[in-house]
Amino acid sequence: MNQLVTLPLAATPVAVQLLPLPTRAAEGDDARLITLADELTRLRGLCRQRSIELGKCDDAWVRPERPRVLLKRYDDGDVGSYTRQADGCWEEWCVEDDIDKLRGRTEFHQWNFIGTSEQWDEFGLSNWRSNRSLPAGAPSDLFVSLGDEQRRKRADELIAALDTHREAHAKSRQESGYDAADRALRAVWDEEAAVFEEMMELKPTTLAGFRAVASAIINFCWLGEIEDGNTKEEQMVGLMLSHLTGIEVKRAA
């Protein structure tokens, strides 16, 4: 005989017709699933607490200002740039990854053409715009490098400024407690993942076992809430989990 269960859904009782399920008490995999689901519920609450603590540390974290040396200059051809807004104005800054690529680099060439006008025309050098790199397709013996000491000094300046900024950034982050709070939160995530992985290896056979699995999906995969889906399939999955757990579907505002 089918079992009729009434659970809340969006503040409205919904009658759900369930398939026949074994009536025996939970044991074996089902008992373990219930225990693990309760543990996931506890960890989800702990995760919220750790997230709040991390947020407070983030609010207390005073980020150091970026050195103005890292602002993009017209002659910074060795690094790219990006823009960011500060005090209502847009500023152009050197890309950190490009600065890192300058580490250990000792040679900065300024190539000068020493060939003939005929060779200039032969290799189409009228399109050659930058003497910081050799033009493609032209023999290297047609050029001589005079070196570029100014670019080397600028590279050293950028690297030193970036290192100083990163050290100050790391120090302020640690002093705010952010690092410790972040580690604590990640430790809870790891615990949750381990519990969920164990649950995936178990097979429910009772209604209580299926409810435990539904609870685990909501807590671990959906951060404790059932959001209304965009498709009929997603909406039906959400309804199914809601019917099993009694957790209401969160409707879009």
Side-chain angles (χ1 to χ4, degrees), residues 18 39 48 65 71 96 114 139 187 205 212 218 244:
L18 298 177
E39 178 64 5
R48 291 193 184 97
E65 293 186 8
L71 282 168
E96 292 187 10
I114 57 174
T205 57
I218 296 168
L244 283 168

Side-chain angles (χ1 to χ4, degrees), residues 2 6 16 67 74 98 108 129-130 132 137 145 166 170 182 199 201 203 224 238 251:
N2 289 345
T6 301
V16 183
Y74 74 94
D98 289 347
F108 292 86
R129 294 289 182 265
S130 175
R132 294 185 173 186
S145 173
R166 285 176 173 172
D182 183 59
M199 293 186 74
E201 299 297 324
K203 183 178 179 179
R251 305 295 184 182

Side-chain angles (χ1 to χ4, degrees), residues 8-210:
L9 175 62
T12 303
V14 178
V16 183
Q17 195 75 20
L18 298 177
L19 294 175
L21 292 170
T23 58
R24 67 181 184 275
E27 58 184 16
D29 281 4
D30 290 281
R32 182 60 178 163
L33 283 168
I34 294 170
T35 298
L36 292 173
D38 289 342
E39 178 64 5
L40 269 184
T41 300
R42 183 190 73 82
L43 289 171
R44 178 47 39 187
L46 183 58
C47 186
R48 291 193 184 97
Q49 180 183 337
R50 294 287 184 264
S51 296
I52 292 172
E53 293 169 356
L54 182 64
K56 291 180 179 179
C57 292
D58 187 52
D59 292 339
W61 177 9
V62 180
R63 276 76 165 174
E65 293 186 8
R66 295 176 63 82
R68 306 296 289 179
V69 172
L70 297 178
L71 282 168
K72 177 78 170 180
R73 296 192 332 197
Y74 74 94
D75 58 343
D76 282 333
D78 295 298
V79 295
S81 63
Y82 68 94
T83 56
R84 57 182 295 182
Q85 194 171 24
D87 299 327
C89 299
W90 288 98
E91 296 178 330
E92 192 172 7
W93 294 85
C94 294
V95 175
E96 292 187 10
D97 286 348
D98 289 347
I99 296 176
D100 285 328
K101 293 176 183 177
L102 297 176
R103 298 180 186 276
R105 181 175 169 181
T106 58
E107 295 184 358
F108 292 86
H109 297 285
Q110 180 175 315
W111 298 101
N112 282 16
F113 179 72
I114 57 174
T116 65
S117 57
E118 289 79 9
Q119 290 171 321
W120 179 273
D121 294 335
E122 177 185 356
F123 294 103
L125 298 180
S126 58
N127 295 323
W128 183 43
R129 294 289 182 265
S130 175
N131 65 351
R132 294 185 173 186
S133 60
L134 289 171
S140 60
D141 57 4
L142 296 181
F143 302 85
V144 63
S145 173
L146 302 181
D148 199 327
E149 184 65 13
Q150 186 61 33
R151 284 168 61 203
R152 188 193 63 76
K153 289 181 178 180
R154 175 57 174 164
D156 292 342
E157 181 181 48
L158 289 173
I159 292 170
L162 179 58
D163 287 346
T164 298
H165 175 63
R166 285 176 173 172
E167 290 173 5
H169 190 270
K171 181 180 179 181
S172 64
R173 184 181 61 201
Q174 182 179 10
E175 291 176 345
S176 70
Y178 185 95
D179 283 347
D182 183 59
R183 287 193 298 270
L185 176 58
R186 291 179 183 277
V188 178
W189 288 346
D190 291 341
E191 287 187 69
E192 285 186 311
V195 172
F196 193 78
E197 286 293 330
E198 182 178 348
M199 293 186 74
M200 290 180 66
E201 299 297 324
L202 304 175
K203 183 178 179 179
T205 57
T206 66
L207 177 57
F210 280 101

